[in-house]
Coordinates of all heavy atoms in Angstrom, one line a residue:
M34 N 266.8 168.1 87.8 CA 266.2 167.9 86.5 C 265.4 169.1 86.2 O 264.6 169.6 87.1 CB 265.4 166.7 86.6 CG 264.7 166.3 85.3 SD 264.0 164.7 85.4 CE 264.2 164.2 83.7
N35 N 265.4 169.6 85.0 CA 264.7 170.8 84.6 C 263.5 170.4 83.8 O 263.5 169.7 82.8 CB 265.7 171.6 83.7 CG 265.2 173.0 83.5 OD1 264.2 173.4 84.0 ND2 266.0 173.8 82.8
N36 N 262.3 170.9 84.3 CA 261.0 170.6 83.6 C 260.8 171.7 82.6 O 260.0 172.6 82.8 CB 259.9 170.6 84.6 CG 260.0 169.3 85.4 OD1 260.5 168.3 85.0 ND2 259.4 169.3 86.6
L37 N 261.5 171.7 81.5 CA 261.3 172.7 80.4 C 260.5 172.1 79.3 O 260.7 171.0 78.9 CB 262.7 173.1 79.9 CG 262.7 174.1 78.8 CD1 262.2 175.4 79.3 CD2 264.1 174.2 78.2
S38 N 259.4 172.8 79.0 CA 258.6 172.3 77.9 C 258.4 173.4 76.8 O 258.1 174.5 77.2 CB 257.2 171.8 78.4 OG 256.5 172.9 78.9
L39 N 258.6 173.0 75.6 CA 258.4 173.9 74.5 C 257.1 173.5 73.9 O 256.8 172.4 73.4 CB 259.5 173.8 73.5 CG 260.9 174.3 73.9 CD1 261.9 174.0 72.8 CD2 260.7 175.8 74.0
I40 N 256.2 174.5 73.8 CA 254.9 174.3 73.2 C 254.7 175.2 72.0 O 254.9 176.4 72.2 CB 253.8 174.5 74.2 CG1 253.9 173.6 75.4 CG2 252.4 174.3 73.6 CD1 253.0 173.8 76.6
K41 N 254.3 174.7 70.9 CA 254.1 175.5 69.7 C 252.6 176.0 69.7 O 251.7 175.2 69.8 CB 254.4 174.7 68.4 CG 254.2 175.5 67.2 CD 254.6 174.7 66.0 CE 254.4 175.6 64.7 NZ 254.8 174.8 63.5
C42 N 252.4 177.3 69.5 CA 251.0 177.8 69.4 C 250.4 177.4 68.1 O 251.0 177.5 67.1 CB 251.1 179.3 69.5 SG 249.5 180.1 69.4
K43 N 249.2 176.9 68.2 CA 248.4 176.5 67.0 C 248.0 177.7 66.2 O 247.8 177.5 65.0 CB 247.2 175.7 67.4 CG 247.6 174.4 68.0 CD 246.4 173.6 68.4 CE 246.8 172.3 69.1 NZ 245.6 171.5 69.5
S44 N 247.8 178.8 66.8 CA 247.4 180.0 66.0 C 248.5 180.7 65.2 O 248.3 181.0 64.1 CB 246.7 181.0 67.0 OG 245.6 180.5 67.6
C45 N 249.6 181.0 65.9 CA 250.6 181.8 65.3 C 251.9 181.1 65.0 O 252.7 181.6 64.3 CB 250.9 183.1 66.1 SG 251.6 182.7 67.7
G46 N 252.1 179.9 65.6 CA 253.2 179.1 65.3 C 254.4 179.4 66.2 O 255.6 179.0 65.9
T47 N 254.3 180.3 67.2 CA 255.4 180.7 68.1 C 255.6 179.6 69.1 O 254.7 179.0 69.6 CB 255.0 182.0 68.8 OG1 254.6 183.0 67.8 CG2 256.2 182.5 69.6
F48 N 256.9 179.3 69.4 CA 257.3 178.4 70.4 C 257.4 179.1 71.7 O 258.0 180.2 71.8 CB 258.6 177.7 70.1 CG 258.5 176.7 69.0 CD1 258.8 177.0 67.7 CD2 258.1 175.4 69.3 CE1 258.7 176.1 66.7 CE2 258.0 174.4 68.3 CZ 258.3 174.8 67.0
N49 N 256.8 178.5 72.8 CA 256.8 179.1 74.1 C 257.3 178.2 75.1 O 257.2 177.0 75.0 CB 255.3 179.5 74.5 CG 254.7 180.5 73.6 OD1 255.0 181.7 73.7 ND2 253.9 180.0 72.6
R50 N 258.0 178.7 76.2 CA 258.5 177.9 77.2 C 257.7 178.0 78.5 O 257.6 179.1 79.1 CB 260.0 178.3 77.5 CG 260.9 178.0 76.4 CD 262.3 178.3 76.8 NE 263.2 177.9 75.7 CZ 264.5 177.9 75.8 NH1 265.0 178.2 76.9 NH2 265.2 177.5 74.8
N51 N 257.2 176.9 79.0 CA 256.5 176.8 80.3 C 255.5 177.9 80.5 O 255.4 178.5 81.5 CB 257.5 176.8 81.4 CG 258.4 175.6 81.5 OD1 258.1 174.6 80.9 ND2 259.6 175.8 82.0
L52 N 254.7 178.2 79.5 CA 253.6 179.2 79.6 C 252.3 178.5 79.3 O 252.2 177.5 78.6 CB 253.8 180.3 78.6 CG 255.1 181.1 78.7 CD1 255.2 182.1 77.6 CD2 255.0 181.9 80.0
D53 N 251.2 179.1 79.9 CA 249.9 178.6 79.7 C 249.3 179.3 78.4 O 248.4 178.7 77.8 CB 249.0 178.9 80.9 CG 249.4 178.1 82.1 OD1 250.0 177.0 81.9 OD2 249.1 178.5 83.2
H54 N 249.7 180.6 78.2 CA 249.2 181.3 77.1 C 250.3 181.7 76.2 O 251.5 181.9 76.6 CB 248.4 182.6 77.6 CG 247.2 182.3 78.4 ND1 246.0 182.0 77.8 CD2 247.0 182.2 79.7 CE1 245.1 181.8 78.8 NE2 245.7 181.9 79.9
C55 N 250.1 181.9 74.9 CA 251.1 182.2 73.9 C 251.6 183.6 74.2 O 250.8 184.5 74.5 CB 250.5 182.2 72.5 SG 251.7 182.6 71.2
S56 N 252.9 183.8 74.2 CA 253.5 185.1 74.5 C 253.3 186.1 73.3 O 253.4 187.3 73.5 CB 255.0 185.0 74.8 OG 255.7 184.4 73.6
N57 N 253.0 185.6 72.1 CA 252.8 186.4 71.0 C 251.3 186.8 70.8 O 251.0 188.0 70.7 CB 253.3 185.7 69.7 CG 253.3 186.6 68.5 OD1 253.4 187.8 68.6 ND2 253.2 186.0 67.3
C58 N 250.4 185.8 70.8 CA 249.0 186.2 70.5 C 248.0 186.0 71.7 O 246.9 186.4 71.6 CB 248.5 185.3 69.3 SG 248.4 183.5 69.7
G59 N 248.5 185.4 72.7 CA 247.7 185.2 73.9 C 246.7 184.0 73.9 O 245.9 183.9 74.8
E60 N 246.9 183.2 72.9 CA 246.0 182.0 72.8 C 246.4 181.0 73.9 O 247.6 180.8 74.3 CB 246.3 181.3 71.4 CG 245.4 180.1 71.1 CD 244.0 180.4 70.8 OE1 243.8 181.6 70.3 OE2 243.2 179.6 70.9
L61 N 245.4 180.2 74.4 CA 245.7 179.2 75.4 C 246.4 178.0 74.8 O 245.9 177.5 73.8 CB 244.4 178.7 76.1 CG 244.4 177.7 77.2 CD1 245.1 178.3 78.4 CD2 243.1 177.3 77.6
I62 N 247.6 177.6 75.3 CA 248.4 176.6 74.7 C 248.6 175.4 75.6 O 249.1 174.4 75.2 CB 249.7 177.1 74.1 CG1 250.5 177.8 75.3 CG2 249.5 178.1 73.0 CD1 251.9 178.2 74.8
N63 N 248.3 175.5 76.9 CA 248.6 174.5 77.9 C 247.5 173.4 77.6 O 246.3 173.6 77.8 CB 248.5 175.0 79.3 CG 248.9 174.0 80.3 OD1 248.9 172.8 80.0 ND2 249.2 174.4 81.5
P64 N 248.0 172.1 77.2 CA 247.0 171.1 76.9 C 246.1 170.7 78.1 O 245.0 170.3 77.9 CB 247.9 169.9 76.4 CG 249.2 170.3 76.7 CD 249.3 171.7 77.0
I65 N 246.7 170.7 79.3 CA 245.9 170.4 80.5 C 244.8 171.4 80.7 O 243.6 171.0 80.9 CB 246.8 170.3 81.7 CG1 247.8 169.1 81.5 CG2 246.0 170.0 83.0 CD1 248.9 169.1 82.5
L66 N 245.1 172.6 80.6 CA 244.0 173.7 80.7 C 243.0 173.6 79.6 O 241.8 173.8 79.8 CB 244.7 175.1 80.8 CG 245.5 175.3 82.0 CD1 246.1 176.7 81.9 CD2 244.7 175.2 83.3
I67 N 243.5 173.3 78.4 CA 242.6 173.2 77.2 C 241.6 172.0 77.5 O 240.4 172.2 77.3 CB 243.3 173.0 75.9 CG1 244.1 174.3 75.6 CG2 242.4 172.6 74.8 CD1 245.1 174.1 74.4
R68 N 242.1 170.9 78.0 CA 241.2 169.8 78.3 C 240.2 170.1 79.4 O 239.1 169.8 79.3 CB 242.1 168.6 78.7 CG 241.4 167.3 78.8 CD 242.3 166.1 79.1 NE 243.4 166.0 78.2 CZ 244.7 166.1 78.6 NH1 245.0 166.1 79.9 NH2 245.7 166.0 77.8
K69 N 240.7 170.8 80.5 CA 239.8 171.1 81.6 C 238.7 172.1 81.1 O 237.5 172.0 81.4 CB 240.6 171.8 82.7 CG 241.3 170.8 83.5 CD 242.1 171.6 84.7 CE 242.9 170.6 85.5 NZ 243.6 171.3 86.6
L70 N 239.1 173.0 80.2 CA 238.1 174.0 79.7 C 237.1 173.3 78.8 O 235.9 173.6 78.9 CB 238.8 175.0 78.9 CG 238.0 176.2 78.3 CD1 237.5 177.0 79.5 CD2 238.9 177.1 77.4
S71 N 237.5 172.3 78.0 CA 236.5 171.6 77.1 C 235.6 170.7 78.0 O 234.4 170.6 77.7 CB 237.3 170.8 76.1 OG 237.9 169.7 76.7
I72 N 236.1 170.1 79.1 CA 235.3 169.3 80.0 C 234.3 170.2 80.6 O 233.1 169.8 80.7 CB 236.2 168.5 81.0 CG1 237.0 167.4 80.3 CG2 235.3 168.0 82.1 CD1 238.0 166.8 81.2
E73 N 234.7 171.4 81.1 CA 233.7 172.3 81.7 C 232.6 172.7 80.8 O 231.5 172.8 81.1 CB 234.4 173.5 82.3 CG 235.2 173.1 83.5 CD 236.0 174.3 84.1 OE1 235.8 175.5 83.6 OE2 236.9 174.1 84.9
K74 N 233.0 173.0 79.5 CA 232.0 173.4 78.5 C 231.0 172.2 78.2 O 229.8 172.5 78.1 CB 232.7 173.7 77.2 CG 233.4 175.1 77.2 CD 234.0 175.4 75.8 CE 234.7 176.7 75.8 NZ 235.3 177.0 74.5
R75 N 231.5 171.0 78.2 CA 230.7 169.8 78.0 C 229.7 169.6 79.1 O 228.5 169.4 78.9 CB 231.5 168.6 77.7 CG 230.9 167.5 76.9 CD 231.8 166.4 76.6 NE 233.1 166.8 76.2 CZ 234.3 166.2 76.6 NH1 234.2 165.3 77.5 NH2 235.4 166.6 76.2
K76 N 230.2 169.8 80.4 CA 229.4 169.6 81.5 C 228.3 170.7 81.5 O 227.1 170.4 81.9 CB 230.2 169.7 82.8 CG 231.0 168.5 83.1 CD 231.7 168.7 84.4 CE 232.6 167.4 84.8 NZ 233.3 167.6 86.0
K77 N 228.6 172.0 81.2 CA 227.7 173.0 81.2 C 226.6 172.8 80.1 O 225.4 173.0 80.3 CB 228.3 174.4 80.9 CG 227.4 175.6 81.0 CD 228.2 176.8 80.7 CE 227.3 178.1 80.8 NZ 226.2 178.1 80.0
K78 N 227.0 172.2 79.0 CA 226.1 171.9 77.9 C 225.1 170.8 78.3 O 223.9 171.0 78.1 CB 226.8 171.5 76.6 CG 225.9 171.2 75.5 CD 226.8 170.7 74.3 CE 225.9 170.4 73.1 NZ 226.7 169.9 72.0
I79 N 225.6 169.8 79.0 CA 224.7 168.7 79.5 C 223.8 169.3 80.6 O 222.6 168.9 80.6 CB 225.6 167.6 80.0 CG1 226.3 166.9 78.9 CG2 224.7 166.6 80.8 CD1 227.3 165.9 79.3
K80 N 224.3 170.1 81.4 CA 223.4 170.7 82.5 C 222.3 171.5 81.9 O 221.2 171.5 82.3 CB 224.3 171.5 83.4 CG 223.6 172.0 84.6 CD 224.6 172.8 85.6 CE 224.0 173.2 86.8 NZ 224.9 174.0 87.7
D81 N 222.6 172.3 80.9 CA 221.6 173.1 80.2 C 220.6 172.3 79.5 O 219.4 172.6 79.5 CB 222.3 174.1 79.2 CG 223.1 175.2 79.8 OD1 222.9 175.4 81.0 OD2 223.9 175.8 79.1
Q82 N 221.0 171.2 78.9 CA 220.1 170.2 78.3 C 219.1 169.6 79.3 O 217.9 169.5 79.1 CB 220.8 169.1 77.5 CG 221.4 169.6 76.2 CD 222.2 168.5 75.6 OE1 222.5 167.5 76.2 NE2 222.6 168.7 74.3
L83 N 219.7 169.2 80.5 CA 218.8 168.6 81.5 C 217.8 169.6 82.0 O 216.7 169.3 82.3 CB 219.7 168.1 82.6 CG 220.5 166.9 82.3 CD1 221.4 166.5 83.5 CD2 219.6 165.7 82.0
K84 N 218.3 170.9 82.2 CA 217.4 171.9 82.7 C 216.2 172.2 81.7 O 215.1 172.3 82.0 CB 218.1 173.2 82.9 CG 217.3 174.3 83.5 CD 218.1 175.6 83.7 CE 219.0 175.5 84.9 NZ 219.6 176.8 85.2
E85 N 216.6 172.1 80.4 CA 215.6 172.3 79.3 C 214.6 171.2 79.3 O 213.4 171.4 79.2 CB 216.3 172.4 78.0 CG 215.3 172.7 76.8 CD 216.1 172.9 75.5 OE1 217.0 173.6 75.5 OE2 215.7 172.2 74.5
E86 N 215.1 169.9 79.5 CA 214.2 168.8 79.6 C 213.2 168.9 80.8 O 212.1 168.5 80.7 CB 215.0 167.5 79.6 CG 215.6 167.1 78.3 CD 216.5 165.9 78.4 OE1 216.5 165.3 79.5 OE2 217.2 165.6 77.4
Q87 N 213.8 169.4 81.9 CA 212.9 169.5 83.1 C 211.8 170.5 82.9 O 210.7 170.3 83.3 CB 213.8 169.9 84.3 CG 213.0 170.0 85.6 CD 213.9 170.4 86.7 OE1 215.1 170.7 86.5 NE2 213.4 170.3 87.9
V88 N 212.2 171.6 82.2 CA 211.1 172.6 81.9 C 210.1 172.1 81.0 O 208.9 172.3 81.2 CB 211.8 173.9 81.3 CG1 210.8 174.8 80.7 CG2 212.6 174.6 82.4
T89 N 210.5 171.3 80.0 CA 209.6 170.6 79.1 C 208.7 169.7 79.8 O 207.5 169.6 79.6 CB 210.3 169.9 78.0 OG1 211.2 170.8 77.3 CG2 209.4 169.3 77.0
T90 N 209.2 168.9 80.8 CA 208.4 168.0 81.6 C 207.4 168.7 82.4 O 206.2 168.3 82.5 CB 209.3 167.1 82.5 OG1 210.2 166.5 81.7 CG2 208.5 166.1 83.2
E91 N 207.8 169.9 83.0 CA 206.9 170.6 83.9 C 205.8 171.3 83.1 O 204.7 171.6 83.6 CB 207.7 171.7 84.6 CG 208.6 171.1 85.7 CD 209.4 172.1 86.4 OE1 209.3 173.3 86.0 OE2 210.1 171.7 87.3
N92 N 206.0 171.5 81.8 CA 204.9 172.1 80.9 C 204.1 171.0 80.3 O 203.2 171.4 79.5 CB 205.6 173.0 79.9 CG 206.2 174.2 80.5 OD1 205.7 174.7 81.6 ND2 207.2 174.8 79.9
S93 N 204.3 169.8 80.6 CA 203.5 168.7 79.9 C 202.0 168.7 80.4 O 201.8 169.2 81.6 CB 204.1 167.4 80.1 OG 204.0 166.9 81.4
F94 N 201.1 168.2 79.7 CA 199.7 168.1 80.0 C 199.5 167.3 81.3 O 198.8 167.7 82.2 CB 198.9 167.6 78.8 CG 197.5 167.5 79.1 CD1 196.7 168.6 79.3 CD2 196.9 166.2 79.3 CE1 195.3 168.5 79.5 CE2 195.5 166.1 79.5 CZ 194.8 167.2 79.7
F95 N 200.1 166.1 81.4 CA 199.9 165.3 82.5 C 200.5 165.9 83.8 O 199.9 165.7 84.8 CB 200.5 163.9 82.2 CG 200.1 162.9 83.2 CD1 198.8 162.4 83.3 CD2 201.0 162.4 84.2 CE1 198.5 161.5 84.2 CE2 200.7 161.5 85.1 CZ 199.4 161.0 85.1
Y96 N 201.6 166.6 83.7 CA 202.2 167.2 84.9 C 201.2 168.3 85.4 O 201.0 168.5 86.6 CB 203.5 167.8 84.5 CG 204.2 168.5 85.7 CD1 204.9 167.8 86.6 CD2 204.1 169.9 85.9 CE1 205.5 168.4 87.7 CE2 204.7 170.5 86.9 CZ 205.4 169.7 87.9 OH 206.0 170.4 88.9
K97 N 200.6 169.0 84.5 CA 199.7 170.0 84.9 C 198.4 169.4 85.5 O 197.9 170.0 86.4 CB 199.3 170.9 83.6 CG 200.4 171.8 83.2 CD 199.9 172.6 81.9 CE 201.1 173.5 81.4 NZ 200.7 174.2 80.2
L98 N 198.0 168.3 85.0 CA 196.9 167.6 85.6 C 197.2 167.2 87.0 O 196.3 167.3 87.9 CB 196.4 166.4 84.8 CG 195.6 166.6 83.6 CD1 195.3 165.3 82.9 CD2 194.3 167.4 83.9
Q99 N 198.4 166.6 87.2 CA 198.7 166.1 88.6 C 198.9 167.2 89.6 O 198.6 167.0 90.8 CB 200.0 165.3 88.5 CG 199.9 164.0 87.9 CD 201.3 163.3 87.9 OE1 202.3 163.9 87.7 NE2 201.2 162.0 88.0
N100 N 199.2 168.4 89.2 CA 199.4 169.5 90.1 C 198.3 170.6 89.9 O 198.6 171.8 90.3 CB 200.8 170.1 89.8 CG 201.9 169.2 90.1 OD1 201.8 168.5 91.1 ND2 202.9 169.1 89.2
H101 N 197.2 170.2 89.5 CA 196.1 171.1 89.3 C 195.6 171.6 90.7 O 195.6 170.8 91.6 CB 195.0 170.5 88.5 CG 194.0 171.4 87.9 ND1 192.9 171.9 88.5 CD2 194.0 172.0 86.7 CE1 192.3 172.7 87.8 NE2 192.9 172.8 86.6
R102 N 195.0 172.8 90.7 CA 194.5 173.3 92.0 C 193.2 172.6 92.4 O 192.8 172.6 93.6 CB 194.4 174.8 92.0 CG 193.4 175.3 90.9 CD 193.5 176.8 90.9 NE 192.8 177.3 89.7 CZ 191.6 177.9 89.8 NH1 191.0 178.1 90.9 NH2 191.0 178.2 88.7
F103 N 192.4 172.1 91.5 CA 191.1 171.5 91.8 C 191.3 170.0 92.1 O 191.9 169.3 91.3 CB 190.2 171.7 90.6 CG 188.8 171.3 90.8 CD1 188.1 171.7 91.9 CD2 188.1 170.5 89.9 CE1 186.8 171.4 92.1 CE2 186.8 170.1 90.1 CZ 186.1 170.5 91.3
W104 N 190.8 169.6 93.2 CA 191.1 168.2 93.7 C 190.5 167.1 92.8 O 191.1 166.1 92.6 CB 190.5 168.0 95.1 CG 189.1 168.2 95.3 CD1 188.4 169.4 95.5 CD2 188.1 167.2 95.2 NE1 187.1 169.2 95.5 CE2 186.8 167.8 95.3 CE3 188.1 165.8 94.9 CZ2 185.6 167.1 95.3 CZ3 186.9 165.1 94.9 CH2 185.7 165.8 95.1
L105 N 189.4 167.4 92.1 CA 188.8 166.4 91.2 C 189.6 166.1 90.0 O 189.8 165.0 89.6 CB 187.4 166.9 90.8 CG 186.5 165.9 90.2 CD1 186.2 164.7 91.1 CD2 185.1 166.5 89.8
V106 N 190.3 167.2 89.5 CA 191.2 167.0 88.4 C 192.4 166.2 88.8 O 192.9 165.3 88.1 CB 191.6 168.3 87.8 CG1 192.7 168.2 86.7 CG2 190.4 169.1 87.3
R107 N 192.9 166.4 90.0 CA 194.1 165.6 90.5 C 193.7 164.1 90.7 O 194.5 163.2 90.4 CB 194.6 166.2 91.9 CG 195.3 167.5 91.7 CD 196.1 167.9 92.9 NE 195.3 167.9 94.1 CZ 194.6 168.9 94.7 NH1 194.8 170.1 94.1 NH2 194.0 168.8 95.8
I108 N 192.5 163.9 91.2 CA 192.0 162.5 91.3 C 191.9 161.8 89.9 O 192.3 160.7 89.7 CB 190.7 162.4 92.1 CG1 190.9 162.8 93.5 CG2 190.0 161.1 92.0 CD1 189.6 162.9 94.4
F109 N 191.3 162.6 89.0 CA 191.2 162.1 87.6 C 192.6 161.7 87.0 O 192.8 160.7 86.4 CB 190.5 163.1 86.7 CG 190.5 162.7 85.2 CD1 189.7 161.7 84.8 CD2 191.3 163.4 84.3 CE1 189.7 161.3 83.4 CE2 191.3 163.0 83.0 CZ 190.5 162.0 82.6
A110 N 193.6 162.6 87.3 CA 195.0 162.3 86.8 C 195.5 161.1 87.5 O 196.2 160.3 86.8 CB 195.9 163.5 87.1
A111 N 195.3 160.9 88.8 CA 195.8 159.7 89.5 C 195.1 158.4 88.9 O 195.8 157.4 88.7 CB 195.5 159.8 91.0
V112 N 193.8 158.5 88.7 CA 193.1 157.3 88.1 C 193.7 157.0 86.7 O 193.9 155.9 86.3 CB 191.6 157.5 88.1 CG1 190.9 156.5 87.2 CG2 191.1 157.6 89.5
L113 N 193.9 158.0 85.9 CA 194.4 157.9 84.5 C 195.8 157.3 84.6 O 196.1 156.4 83.8 CB 194.4 159.3 83.8 CG 194.8 159.3 82.4 CD1 193.7 158.5 81.6 CD2 194.9 160.7 81.9
H114 N 196.6 157.7 85.5 CA 198.0 157.2 85.7 C 197.9 155.7 86.1 O 198.7 154.9 85.6 CB 198.8 158.0 86.7 CG 200.2 157.6 86.8 ND1 200.6 156.8 87.8 CD2 201.3 157.8 86.0 CE1 201.9 156.5 87.7 NE2 202.3 157.2 86.6
S115 N 197.0 155.4 87.0 CA 196.9 154.0 87.4 C 196.5 153.1 86.3 O 197.0 152.0 86.2 CB 195.9 153.9 88.6 OG 196.3 154.7 89.7
V116 N 195.5 153.5 85.5 CA 195.0 152.7 84.4 C 196.2 152.5 83.4 O 196.4 151.4 82.9 CB 193.8 153.4 83.7 CG1 193.5 152.8 82.3 CG2 192.6 153.4 84.6
W117 N 197.0 153.6 83.2 CA 198.1 153.5 82.2 C 199.1 152.5 82.8 O 199.7 151.7 82.0 CB 198.7 154.9 82.1 CG 199.9 154.9 81.2 CD1 200.0 154.9 79.8 CD2 201.3 155.0 81.6 NE1 201.2 154.9 79.4 CE2 202.1 154.9 80.5 CE3 201.9 155.0 82.9 CZ2 203.5 155.0 80.5 CZ3 203.3 155.1 82.9 CH2 204.1 155.1 81.7
V118 N 199.4 152.5 84.1 CA 200.4 151.6 84.6 C 199.9 150.1 84.5 O 200.7 149.2 84.2 CB 200.7 151.9 86.1 CG1 201.4 150.8 86.8 CG2 201.5 153.2 86.2
I119 N 198.6 149.9 84.7 CA 198.1 148.6 84.6 C 198.1 148.1 83.2 O 198.5 146.9 82.9 CB 196.6 148.5 85.2 CG1 196.6 148.7 86.7 CG2 195.9 147.3 84.8 CD1 195.2 149.0 87.3
I120 N 197.8 148.9 82.2 CA 197.9 148.5 80.8 C 199.3 148.2 80.4 O 199.6 147.2 79.7 CB 197.3 149.6 79.9 CG1 195.7 149.7 80.1 CG2 197.6 149.4 78.5 CD1 195.0 150.8 79.4
M121 N 200.3 149.0 80.9 CA 201.7 148.8 80.6 C 202.1 147.4 81.2 O 202.9 146.7 80.6 CB 202.6 149.9 81.1 CG 202.4 151.1 80.3 SD 203.1 150.9 78.6 CE 201.7 151.5 77.7
A122 N 201.7 147.1 82.4 CA 202.0 145.9 83.1 C 201.5 144.7 82.3 O 202.2 143.7 82.1 CB 201.5 145.9 84.5
I123 N 200.2 144.8 81.9 CA 199.6 143.7 81.1 C 200.4 143.5 79.8 O 200.7 142.4 79.4 CB 198.1 143.9 80.9 CG1 197.4 143.8 82.3 CG2 197.5 143.0 79.9 CD1 195.9 144.3 82.2
G124 N 200.7 144.6 79.1 CA 201.4 144.6 77.9 C 202.8 144.0 78.1 O 203.3 143.2 77.2
S125 N 203.5 144.3 79.1 CA 204.8 143.8 79.4 C 204.7 142.3 79.7 O 205.6 141.5 79.2 CB 205.4 144.5 80.6 OG 205.6 145.8 80.4
F126 N 203.7 141.9 80.4 CA 203.5 140.4 80.7 C 203.3 139.7 79.4 O 203.8 138.6 79.2 CB 202.4 140.2 81.7 CG 202.1 138.8 81.9 CD1 202.9 138.0 82.7 CD2 200.9 138.2 81.3 CE1 202.6 136.6 82.8 CE2 200.6 136.9 81.5 CZ 201.5 136.1 82.3
L127 N 202.4 140.2 78.6 CA 202.1 139.5 77.3 C 203.4 139.5 76.4 O 203.6 138.4 75.7 CB 201.0 140.2 76.6 CG 199.6 140.1 77.2 CD1 198.6 140.9 76.5 CD2 199.2 138.6 77.3
A128 N 204.2 140.5 76.4 CA 205.4 140.5 75.6 C 206.4 139.4 76.2 O 207.0 138.7 75.4 CB 206.1 141.9 75.6
W129 N 206.5 139.4 77.5 CA 207.3 138.4 78.2 C 206.8 137.0 77.8 O 207.6 136.1 77.5 CB 207.4 138.6 79.7 CG 208.1 137.5 80.4 CD1 209.4 137.4 80.6 CD2 207.5 136.4 81.1 NE1 209.7 136.3 81.3 CE2 208.5 135.6 81.6 CE3 206.2 136.0 81.2 CZ2 208.3 134.5 82.3 CZ3 206.0 134.8 82.0 CH2 207.0 134.1 82.5
L130 N 205.5 136.8 77.9 CA 204.9 135.5 77.6 C 205.2 135.0 76.2 O 205.5 133.9 75.9 CB 203.4 135.5 77.9 CG 202.6 134.2 77.9 CD1 203.2 133.2 79.0 CD2 201.2 134.4 78.1
A131 N 205.0 136.0 75.3 CA 205.3 135.7 73.9 C 206.7 135.3 73.7 O 207.1 134.4 72.9 CB 204.9 136.8 73.0
A132 N 207.6 136.0 74.3 CA 209.1 135.7 74.2 C 209.4 134.3 74.8 O 210.2 133.5 74.3 CB 209.9 136.7 74.9
M133 N 208.8 133.9 75.9 CA 209.0 132.6 76.5 C 208.4 131.5 75.7 O 209.0 130.4 75.6 CB 208.4 132.6 78.0 CG 209.1 133.5 79.0 SD 210.8 132.9 79.2 CE 211.7 134.3 78.6
I134 N 207.3 131.7 75.1 CA 206.7 130.7 74.3 C 207.5 130.4 73.0 O 207.7 129.3 72.6 CB 205.2 131.0 73.9 CG1 204.3 131.0 75.2 CG2 204.7 130.1 72.8 CD1 202.9 131.5 75.0
S135 N 208.0 131.5 72.4 CA 208.7 131.3 71.2 C 210.2 130.8 71.4 O 210.8 130.3 70.5 CB 208.8 132.7 70.4 OG 209.6 133.6 71.2
A136 N 210.7 131.0 72.6 CA 212.0 130.5 72.9 C 212.1 129.1 73.2 O 211.7 128.1 73.1 CB 212.6 131.3 74.1

């Protein structure tokens, strides 16, 4: 059985046999390679976005407080974080309680 495939180039319209690139213009025409290339581009874009978000997090005010060189500032940041967690826990409980009462 002969695995012959004719692929038409989207750029110039030339038909090619069993080639990854167009014989006329050099455009990539293999659909599997095109798909792999687009997946790699998408992964790189996501990786760059995650790296950018990490840099933004490291430049935040609270991150700087937690990693400050002065110990008193680090203690203040820990206390502030603890108070924030307690307030969020109380708020979550009140939201849950309101949902249970109304249901």
